[in-house]
Structures are given as C-alpha cells and as structure tokens.
Amino acid sequence: MLPLIRILIENIFKPPITEEISAANLPEHPGGFHGYPEHDPSRCIACGICQYFCPAKVIKISQIDDKMNYHMDLDQCTCCGQCIDYCPTNAIKHRPNPYFVATNLDDFKVDHQIKLIKCAKCGAFIPDMTLIAHKLFGEGKPVPKHLTMCPKCKRKP
Ligand code: SF4
Ligand code: SF4
C-alpha cells in the first residue's frame, strides 16, 4: 500500500507530460498516409454515388428546390476513401495532411449547394451531366441529348 501512496504523491507534483496540440504545432507525419476527404462543389454533380458507398453514413445529399445540399459530418469519417474512389468526376480528394484538429464540432461539418438543371423534356430538376459527358466524349464536345433528360423522359419512346 505504501509504495502506491508514494507514487500517487509523486504524480501530484509532476508537471504535465502531454503536450497541447493545435493546428500550428502538429508533429510531422510519415508519408503515405491520407487525410480527410475534401469536397469540391465545382466538380460535384450531386449524383449520390459517394453517399451510397460511404460505410459510415457521413454524406447526406438532399434536394432543396433547384439545388442539392451536399452535407458531410466529417467527425464520423473513417478516412476510408470509398467516396474518393467511386466519385465519377473527381470531386473529392484526400487532404494531404491526415490531421484534422478543431475545437468546434461545427468545423467538421461541410455544406455545399450543387445547382441542378432542368430536364430538356419535362423540366424536372436533374444533375448537370456536362462533366461526365466531357469525360466520356471529350472536352468541349456537346452533351448528348439523353444526358440532358430525367430518367422518366429517357424511358419514353
Ligand atoms: S460521387 Fe462525386 S459527383 Fe457524385 S455526389 Fe459524390 S462528390 Fe458529387
Ligand atoms: S472517407 Fe470513407 S467514411 Fe469518410 S466520407 Fe468518404 S466514404 Fe465516408
């Protein structure tokens, strides 16, 4: 019992051994690690593929009028990279630094608005497929008509 009491008393008078970490004094990290996903709304077409594949349900996409709200709860992200691997337009990348330090939970929330376009036939809001068309058929080529229509109109003869 006595040695335990001695250790307890010694520890009371010892200085703290942990160091305060802030974004400014982060230690060097070894190469090869990847960081949290970073979403680029200018490349996002709000297709929902990343939401479908995210195992931690970090990504939530919902329509508000003529826009899609793209939401991420990065405090629940495991940095698995599934969203990055499956995104067809390279709208998500790993941040180069694996650390993500914040004292406010709101700093882990991402909210981006993605503009939708109107279906060429019925006017329903649909994702803008221009980036996909350029990837498939070449930069600057016109977007094929079937990519400017909603799924319902595509099925109509
Ligand atoms: S997969 Fe890419 S393009 Fe599709 S919603 Fe996610 S970030 Fe946007
Ligand atoms: S890195 Fe993984 S856990 Fe994080 S948002 Fe992407 S798919 Fe979800």
Side-chain angles (χ1 to χ4, degrees):
M1 191 67 183
L2 265 180
L4 182 64
I5 292 170
R6 183 175 55 78
I7 290 168
L8 282 174
I9 292 171
E10 276 174 12
N11 281 340
I12 287 171
F13 295 103
K14 270 187 188 164
I17 56 167
T18 50
E19 285 175 28
E20 196 178 328
I21 293 226
S22 74
N25 68 351
L26 290 172
E28 283 288 313
H29 61 86
F33 283 83
H34 54 231
Y36 282 84
E38 187 148 51
H39 180 244
D40 176 358
S42 71
R43 293 198 63 80
C44 179
I45 59 167
C47 64
I49 292 175
C50 54
Q51 176 180 249
Y52 179 80
F53 281 105
C54 174
K57 305 282 173 239
V58 168
I59 302 165
K60 290 170 192 88
I61 303 173
S62 53
Q63 186 173 348
I64 306 168
D65 302 324
D66 62 342
K67 295 183 191 75
M68 283 293 204
N69 189 59
Y70 186 96
H71 178 82
M72 288 173 123
D73 288 308
L74 287 179
D75 51 314
Q76 289 161 41
C77 175
T78 60
C79 298
C80 68
Q82 293 266 68
C83 55
I84 294 159
D85 291 347
Y86 285 103
C87 176
T89 59
N90 300 325
I92 322 182
K93 290 192 168 59
H94 284 294
R95 293 171 200 227
N97 191 327
Y99 301 112
F100 189 173
V101 179
T103 50
N104 187 342
L105 258 187
D106 286 346
D107 293 345
F108 290 96
K109 311 281 180 210
V110 171
D111 273 293
H112 290 150
Q113 309 280 301
I114 315 299
K115 191 110 178 65
L116 298 171
I117 59 161
K118 285 186 172 179
C119 166
K121 250 186 164 175
C122 71
F125 289 116
I126 56 167
D128 182 350
M129 300 294 275
T130 308
L131 276 176
I132 298 285
H134 287 170
K135 205 171 169 181
L136 290 173
F137 308 110
E139 200 72 35
K141 291 271 164 62
V143 180
K145 196 154 175 35
H146 71 278
L147 290 183
T148 64
M149 290 192 285
C150 70
K152 263 189 195 168
C153 291
K154 267 187 229 171
R155 281 195 293 270
K156 281 182 197 158

